[in-house]
């Protein structure tokens, strides 16, 4: 057992996950808060400034058989107005957010010091070793008022931490 070549330990964790599902909501139109958008030709750009691209529309603006969906007439909910809900053609968790990939690594070296049973250990831990940008899901509310497009829709506003390192020194006696 060599003084410099022995006593090494290496540990690592590699994680790769597909993106988390998300639902794009159209916005709170006339009290209906769970309506979803209509969409066609959707793609993921990978750009955090506009992660979701495609053609989206608000379902409450559509007429089916000459009558608007649900509460698009403007009647408040408490009057008992009947009609189909403004759900849009997308389903729950129809879209997928950015993937997550990370490599964590720990490297440690132990030295025998001051006689028998005493040991000095140096340890380095690196989280997100390759410093990959791991983003959270984009803003998924298409409209804040049910009429106009949210300027932040499709943008990613936060990310998981960048590379982080920590060092430790331990004396065992």
């Amino acid at each position: 057992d060599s003084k410099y070549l022995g006593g090494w330990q290496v540990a690592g964790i590699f994680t790769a996950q597909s993106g988390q599902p998300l639902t794009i909501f159209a916005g709170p139109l006339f009290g209906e808060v769970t309506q979803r958008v209509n969409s066609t030709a959707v793609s993921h750009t990978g750009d955090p400034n506009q992660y979701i691209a495609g053609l989206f529309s608000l379902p409450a603006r559509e007429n089916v058989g000459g009558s608007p969906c649900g509460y698009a007439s403007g009647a408040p909910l408490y009057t008992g107005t009947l009609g189909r809900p403004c759900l849009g053609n997308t389903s729950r968790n129809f879209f997928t957010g950015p993937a997550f990939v990370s490599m964590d690594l720990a490297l440690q070296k132990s030295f025998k010091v001051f006689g028998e049973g005493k040991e000095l250990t140096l340890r380095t831990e690196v989280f997100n070793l390759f410093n990959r940008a791991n983003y959270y899901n984009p803003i998924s509310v298409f409209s804040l008022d049910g009429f106009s497009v949210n300027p932040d829709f499709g943008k990613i506003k936060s990310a998981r931490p960048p590379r982080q390192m920590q060092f430790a020194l331990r004396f065992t006696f």
Side-chain angles (χ1 to χ4, degrees):
D1 185 28
S2 169
K3 184 177 182 178
Y4 297 104
L5 296 178
W8 287 95
Q9 290 183 354
V10 178
I13 299 173
F14 176 74
T15 306
Q17 300 172 344
S18 63
Q20 291 195 340
L22 65 114
T23 303
I24 297 179
F25 292 101
L29 181 65
F30 302 116
E32 188 174 321
V33 296
T34 60
Q35 68 175 344
R36 296 183 292 266
V37 295
N38 289 327
S39 82
T40 56
V42 177
S43 66
H44 298 102
T45 65
D47 177 8
N49 293 317
Q50 193 59 51
Y51 183 77
I52 299 173
L55 301 173
F56 297 97
S57 65
L58 296 168
R61 291 187 176 167
E62 69 184 45
N63 286 329
V64 177
S67 65
C69 70
Y71 309 105
S73 63
L77 291 175
Y78 58 82
T79 63
T81 304
L82 298 176
R84 68 177 187 81
C86 302
L87 292 179
N89 67 0
T90 59
S91 61
R92 180 179 172 270
N93 294 334
F94 187 75
F95 303 93
T96 304
F100 175 85
V101 179
S102 181
M103 176 69 187
D104 299 339
L105 184 71
L107 182 63
Q108 150 175 326
K109 170 73 170 130
S110 297
F111 301 94
K112 304 274 185 211
V113 292
F114 307 122
E116 189 175 325
K118 296 184 175 115
E119 190 174 73
L120 186 65
T121 304
L122 300 170
R123 182 176 175 95
T124 301
E125 296 174 344
V126 183
F127 303 98
N128 194 4
L129 177 67
F130 300 114
N131 204 25
R132 181 182 188 276
N134 288 303
Y135 298 111
Y136 286 105
N137 278 349
I139 304 293
S140 62
V141 177
F142 183 68
S143 176
L144 296 173
D145 59 5
F147 295 101
S148 59
V149 176
N150 177 2
D152 287 333
F153 169 71
K155 294 180 181 177
I156 296 176
K157 296 288 190 169
S158 59
R160 290 176 172 84
R163 179 187 305 125
Q164 294 180 340
M165 298 176 74
Q166 64 185 24
F167 304 95
L169 176 65
R170 180 176 69 194
F171 179 65
T172 307
F173 56 94

